[in-house]
Amino acid sequence: QVQLVESGGGLVQAGGSLRLSCAASGKVFSIMGWYRQAPGTQRELVASSTRGGSANYADSVKGRFTISRDNAKNTVALQMNSLKDEDTAVYYCYGDSGSSWYWGQGTQVTVSS
């Protein structure tokens, strides 16, 4: 059974930091990353990373968020700094095996001003 389990969401003041973690089991993914979805909007890519560590970021988070993978532990993390109101969303971890995508259950991040 494939599972992705997120942790680390919560409430933070604008300008603060949060770290999201995602632990995968049951499969090794070529790409892992994070999407987010705010109320009334479409799910959007935040950041992704290959197993080799090549990262991709949404323009809105470049310079503020950092994605990292631990292939040995099959985990991916998202360090979020200088958080803004517009970062408020449910954040979803995902894994792309090349033939299928898998999703975590989501973790809420709320940034208050």
Side-chain angles (χ1 to χ4, degrees):
Q1 182 182 2
V2 179
Q3 282 190 314
L4 290 93
V5 179
E6 301 113 332
S7 61
L11 174 65
V12 64
Q13 287 190 330
S17 298
L18 277 177
R19 183 176 178 85
L20 305 182
S21 297
C22 174
S25 60
K27 207 166 192 67
V28 174
F29 298 104
S30 55
I31 299 173
M32 294 185 74
W34 298 87
Y35 272 71
R36 68 186 179 187
Q37 187 168 22
T41 68
Q42 289 188 331
R43 195 173 292 192
E44 63 172 357
L45 176 68
V46 177
S48 63
S49 176
T50 66
R51 285 184 59 82
S54 178
N56 180 49
Y57 296 94
D59 288 342
S60 59
V61 307
K62 283 180 181 176
R64 300 188 298 122
F65 290 12
T66 303
I67 190 170
S68 58
R69 284 184 71 167
D70 186 329
N71 293 329
K73 296 181 179 179
N74 209 11
T75 60
V76 63
L78 185 69
Q79 178 66 42
M80 305 186 294
N81 298 328
S82 302
L83 283 161
K84 305 176 180 179
D85 290 352
E86 51 263 42
D87 296 318
T88 294
V90 177
Y91 284 69
Y92 297 91
C93 173
Y94 81 96
D96 176 4
S97 68
S99 58
S100 299
W101 283 48
Y102 298 83
W103 296 90
Q105 79 283 1
T107 185
Q108 177 69 46
V109 171
T110 302
V111 182
S112 65
S113 56

